[in-house]
Amino acid sequence: MRIDVLSIFPSYFDGLTLSLLGKAQDAGILDLRVRDLREWAFDRHRTVDDTPYGGGAGMVMKPEPWGLALDEIAGDVAAGEAGPPTIIFPSPAGEVFTQRTARDLATREHLIFGCGRYEGIDERVFEYASQLGEVRLISLGDYVLNGGEVATMAMIEAIGRLIPGVVGNPESLVEESHEDGLLEYPSYTKPASWRERTVPDVLLSGNHAAIAAWRRDQQFERTRRRRPDLLPSDDAAQS
Ligand code: 6GU
């Protein structure tokens, strides 16, 4: 998979060279390219923002650098054999990112993340980008970050680990929170007794059927207590 990131703070993404995603890049499974949007700003100050038409607080990102950057990156690809990219703009005004979104995006050949500041990007950029690929505005949840960078990192990590070969043991992907719509069961390791707290007996029993049943039960119990909205019977989840 190829992932391009456009940001005015490219060094945010240095952390993505660590750990599993770093290894995936070394192995050629993931081709991650982070570019500074200012590369496509050509005035003396490399300006990427300006005051909003109609007035109001904050600044809006100018369309020109975005247009040139997207032309170059999508053009790059037009030269190869990959299909049109999926262009993601992290935004608190977007659809909410879930494990389902991650699974969907992990099947794409080419993702482009456009990191804006939260006051926003000139609306015409989204319209223009939709001529180059599928545009998705995606939010991490109902709170506000200063810009799209941290949200993009979270999404790249969630998507990247679903690319075949990135996580060493694919079985570990199946048992995680949200993969089956439930929270994951509690885990324990040695010692069996620690500071007067013991590991549940069933886990030491060697009875695999009983262990599986206990874990399933714990998943439901935790989900009911912490995240009832995830359960199909919850009315709030249907709205
Ligand atoms: Cl994707 N961007 C920003 N700026 N704030 C957010 C967000 C995204 N998701 C939640 N808050």
Side-chain angles (χ1 to χ4, degrees), residues 6 8 18 119 161 177 225:
L6 287 163
I8 57 170
L18 302 170
E119 293 88 344
R161 59 198 300 287
S177 291
R225 240 183 308 118

Side-chain angles (χ1 to χ4, degrees), residues 1-3 15-33 156-168:
M1 175 188 284
R2 173 166 166 190
I3 300 179
L16 293 178
T17 60
L18 302 170
S19 189
L20 287 179
L21 290 187
K23 279 189 203 135
Q25 289 170 78
D26 295 341
I29 299 171
L30 175 63
D31 177 9
L32 176 65
R33 309 182 196 186
I156 290 175
E157 190 158 308
I159 295 162
R161 59 198 300 287
L162 299 179
I163 302 169
V166 171
V167 170

Side-chain angles (χ1 to χ4, degrees), residues 82-137:
T86 301
I87 307 169
I88 299 158
F89 292 100
S91 164
E95 56 170 310
V96 175
F97 186 79
T98 65
Q99 191 67 20
R100 177 196 296 270
T101 322
R103 277 193 299 263
D104 169 18
L105 295 175
T107 67
R108 313 290 170 112
E109 240 159 89
H110 184 204
L111 303 178
I112 301 174
F113 285 90
C115 303
R117 44 186 303 161
Y118 83 84
E119 293 88 344
I121 299 174
D122 187 302
E123 189 68 19
R124 292 167 292 183
V125 172
F126 308 121
E127 296 163 19
Y128 179 73
S130 67
Q131 298 176 5
L132 302 173
E134 182 192 343
V135 171
R136 303 274 292 265
L137 269 67

Side-chain angles (χ1 to χ4, degrees), residues 90-92 116-118 138-148 151 155:
S91 164
R117 44 186 303 161
Y118 83 84
I138 304 183
S139 168
L140 286 196
D142 295 339
Y143 47 85
V144 179
L145 304 169
N146 286 332
M155 288 190 262

Side-chain angles (χ1 to χ4, degrees), residues 199-220:
V199 171
D201 285 335
V202 64
L203 297 178
L204 309 175
S205 70
N207 181 339
H208 298 298
I211 291 169
W214 180 85
R215 286 178 166 167
R216 196 78 190 150
D217 203 57
Q218 289 286 311
Q219 285 193 280
F220 277 107

